[in-house]
Amino acid sequence: MASIETVTLEVADPAAAERFHATAFGLDTQIRLRPSEAPTTGFRGFTLALTVSRPATVDSLIGAALDAGATSLKPAAKSLWGYGGVVQAPDGTIWKVATSAKKDTGPATRQIDEIVLLLGVADVIASKRFYVGQGLAVAKSFSRVYVEFAAGESPVKLALYRRRALAKDLGVAPEGTGSHGLVIGGADGPFTDPDGFAWEAASSAVPAGHHRA
């Protein structure tokens, strides 16, 4: 079964981005970094969503991200599905931190239960068909709205959401041009999906802390 093996963010300052990930979310090996000066404006079409166990942990992680230099896009709040908030890192990546729980059952922790790479796509059905053709297995599917793929042994799960709906959920305008600032690693790369998200052979990805010149 195919799955994400690596997620690489293309950023202007990898060392600064690495410090942010560690300080804000305690991430080190899960997200990789690569220097890039490729122009990009507006919404890059994706978010990294961190699922945690309780609202106190949402508040703790978002607070740490803001202290580390992130910008608040949506303050943490209750919703029909749980509790969550959205921040934008100094490198431009949008992060969502959320829980399905609406009440705390214990103190805040730094534990992240799941990382989801959520791609905003023009046509969920077409993109779902494309990724199934690449060997990914569908775990959840809600018509033309949302698709989630099985993660296998990967630390990061892939999901698809309509681009405009994703932008609205994140609190940003849907328009954007230039680089996505994202390269996904998998066993069957390289290829590019219908919305321009690039995949590479995972063996060519550069581990965090080892930045390609």
Side-chain angles (χ1 to χ4, degrees):
M1 183 186 70
S3 63
I4 293 177
E5 294 187 26
T6 59
V7 173
T8 301
L9 298 177
E10 297 183 324
V11 300
D13 187 340
E18 191 169 2
R19 286 193 299 272
F20 173 82
H21 294 157
T23 303
F25 305 127
L27 299 175
D28 47 23
T29 60
Q30 300 93 330
I31 305 296
R32 302 183 179 197
L33 301 163
R34 183 177 301 167
S36 174
E37 299 292 342
T40 182
T41 61
F43 182 39
R44 296 183 191 175
F46 75 94
T47 188
L48 283 158
L50 307 178
T51 304
V52 299
S53 62
R54 57 187 67 124
T57 299
V58 172
D59 290 336
S60 175
L61 292 175
I62 286 181
L66 296 175
D67 289 344
T71 301
S72 176
L73 296 180
K74 271 194 172 181
K78 288 182 180 180
S79 69
L80 290 175
W81 46 262
Y83 183 84
V86 183
V87 297
Q88 187 165 28
D91 62 71
T93 304
I94 295 175
W95 294 82
K96 181 173 183 176
V97 186
T99 177
S100 59
K102 296 186 180 182
K103 293 183 179 180
D104 286 314
T105 55
T109 71
R110 296 274 293 170
Q111 181 177 340
I112 294 167
D113 298 330
E114 188 176 67
I115 304 173
V116 181
L117 173 60
L118 192 50
L119 303 182
V121 302
D123 185 332
V124 171
I125 298 297
S127 292
K128 173 185 174 182
R129 188 181 306 118
F130 174 84
Y131 278 112
V132 168
Q134 296 295 331
L136 276 76
V138 175
K140 296 179 184 177
S141 182
F142 299 97
S143 185
R144 299 180 178 275
V145 179
Y146 178 82
V147 175
E148 189 175 285
F149 297 97
E153 298 298 316
S154 172
V156 182
K157 181 180 291 185
L158 179 67
L160 311 174
Y161 199 21
R162 287 179 301 180
R163 181 185 172 102
R164 296 189 71 86
L166 179 59
K168 183 178 180 180
D169 182 59
L170 299 174
V172 297
E175 295 77 24
T177 60
S179 172
H180 287 296
L182 171 74
V183 180
I184 308 164
D188 297 325
F191 60 84
T192 301
D193 81 359
D195 293 272
F197 290 102
W199 286 64
E200 66 184 6
S203 59
S204 67
V206 182
H210 298 80
H211 311 304
R212 185 175 285 153

